[in-house]
Amino acid sequence: MTQAAIDGALAAAGERAALANRAGGAIELTEVSVRFGKAGREVTALQRVSLTIAPGQFVAVLGPSGCGKSTLLNVIAGFERPRAGSVRVDGELVTEPSPRRPVVFQQHSLFPWMTALDNVAFGLRMAGDAAARERARHYLALVGLSDFAEHYPEQLSGGMQQRVGIARALAVEPAILLMDEPFGALDAQTRALMQEQLLGLWERWRHTVVFVTHDIDEAIFLADRVVVLGVKPSGLRRIVDVDVPRPRSPRARLDPTYQALYQELFGLIREESSKTFDGSRAAS
Ligand SMILES: Nc1ncnc2c1ncn2[C@@H]1O[C@H](COP(=O)(O)OP(=O)(O)OP(=O)(O)O)[C@@H](O)[C@H]1O
Ligand SMILES: [Mg+2]
C-alpha cells in the first residue's frame, strides 16, 4: 500500500472517529482505592486517586515499578474493581470491560490460529463491520505490516506481534484507547516510529488516550498531561501539563520547556524509585 493510500484511508477513518468521539471519551476517577490480597496481608496498589480526563486528552501515567500504573489502567478498562471510590466513563459507572475501551498490553495477546489480518479484523467483525478485512488492512499498513497480513503470529517477531496488537486496538476506532507500556518491547527505532505514528493518528482523531510508560521521554513527547504515581504511600504524586507545542516532531526534544520538564520528572521518579529500592533492602 502506498503512503498516499494510507493517508487517504486514515483521513476517512479520522473523520469517522472524530464524529464518533465528539460524543464521548471523558474519564473520571473519584477517590479510587485498590487493594489486593486478604486482610492482614494486603497490598495497596492505589490509594484515593482522583483524576479527571477530558475527552480527547492524551494522558501519560509514569512512576516506578509496582506503583500501580497497570492497576490504574485496569480499573479504567473495567478488569479490576476498586475497593473504594468510583470510575466513570462519560458519566457511567465502569463495571466491566468494553470494546469501546480496548487495552494494548506490553505483551502481545494475539490469537495464534489467526493470520495477522484476521487478528486485526477480529474486533471489527464482532462489531458487525462488513468491511472488516478492508479496514484491518489499513491499520496493518499504519503499523508497517502490510506485507505480513497473511502471516501467523508464530511467523512474526515479538515486536511485529506487538504492532499487530496495536493495529487491532486502533482498528475499532475507539473513543478511549488504553495502553500499558505498548512500546516497551520494541527496538529503539521501531519504538520512535510507533510513537510518531500514534501521535499522527491522535492529532487527527482526538480520542482519549491513557498511556502507561516507564519512560519519561516517551511520556513528555506524547502527552498533554503526565500523571506521576508514587509508592509509600502509594497514590497520585503529581500531575504536570506538557506545554510543548503541537504538532510535535522529534525536534520537540530541543524545546527548553521539554528539557525543564524532563529534569523535573527525572528528579521526582528517582525519589520514588529510591523508596522502593530502600524498602526492598530493608525487607530482605
Ligand atoms: N492481581 C494482583 N494480586 C496481588 N497483588 C497485585 C495484583 N496486581 C498488582 N498487585 C500489586 O499491586 C501493586 C501495583 O501493581 P501494578 O502492576 O499496578 O504496578 P505497575 O506500576 O504497573 O508496575 P510495573 O511498572 O512493574 O508494571 C504491586 O505491589 C503489585 O504487586
Ligand atoms: Mg505495569
Side-chain angles (χ1 to χ4, degrees), residues 123-168:
L124 297 171
R125 283 216 188 89
M126 290 285 105
D129 188 330
R133 278 178 78 84
E134 199 46 41
R135 210 193 282 192
R137 276 191 199 284
H138 295 316
Y139 284 94
L140 266 185
L142 181 76
V143 297
L145 291 176
S146 287
D147 293 344
F148 296 87
E150 303 307 329
H151 284 55
Y152 288 87
E154 63 174 14
Q155 299 171 307
L156 300 171
S157 72
M160 286 170 158
Q161 292 181 34
Q162 183 65 0
R163 282 146 68 197
V164 175
I166 292 166
R168 183 171 63 183

Side-chain angles (χ1 to χ4, degrees), residues 65-66 68-71 106 180-181 212 214:
S65 185
K69 301 183 295 297
S70 297
T71 305
Q106 181 171 15
D180 194 351
E181 306 199 37
V212 168
H214 272 116

Side-chain angles (χ1 to χ4, degrees), residues 14 44 64 160 170:
T44 301
M160 286 170 158
L170 293 174

